[in-house]
Amino acid sequence: KFTTFLMGKPSENHDSHQMKKTHQGRGITEDSFHEMAYVFESILKKHGVTTDDCAVILKRLEIFKSDIIEKPHYLRKVV
């Protein structure tokens, strides 16, 4: 469902809060995020998605980057 959302299908189920909740505690780094995006783009292109369409899809994914990536412990706010 998230992939179809990235490809343009409207969805009220993919918001910032849900992304944070889903990815919290998984230790996803910025490098991991970019590696996943690269693999995702490669798969899309392998299946005939144009470069322009890939750019649009990856731009939509980028919206959630700050919700998916977990900051290193030393950068987290202490409350």
Side-chain angles (χ1 to χ4, degrees):
K1 290 182 180 183
F2 185 65
T3 303
T4 59
F5 165 72
L6 290 176
M7 297 177 88
K9 182 178 179 183
S11 173
E12 58 280 344
N13 297 327
H14 301 293
D15 60 23
S16 181
H17 175 73
Q18 185 62 37
M19 283 294 144
K20 284 181 183 179
K21 184 178 174 184
T22 300
H23 296 89
Q24 182 179 2
R26 297 183 186 268
I28 299 171
T29 65
E30 187 158 356
D31 287 344
S32 297
F33 178 86
H34 289 292
E35 184 177 343
M36 183 281 307
Y38 173 79
V39 170
F40 186 49
E41 180 180 22
S42 298
I43 292 168
L44 291 171
K45 286 181 176 179
K46 179 180 177 181
H47 292 281
V49 178
T50 67
T51 300
D52 289 343
D53 287 341
C54 283
V56 170
I57 292 166
L58 293 173
K59 187 173 183 177
R60 289 189 75 162
L61 178 63
E62 189 77 20
I63 293 168
F64 295 104
K65 180 179 171 182
S66 65
D67 301 320
I68 294 171
I69 292 174
E70 201 165 307
K71 290 182 182 176
H73 294 289
Y74 58 87
L75 294 178
R76 293 184 192 159
K77 258 188 182 177
V78 178
V79 213

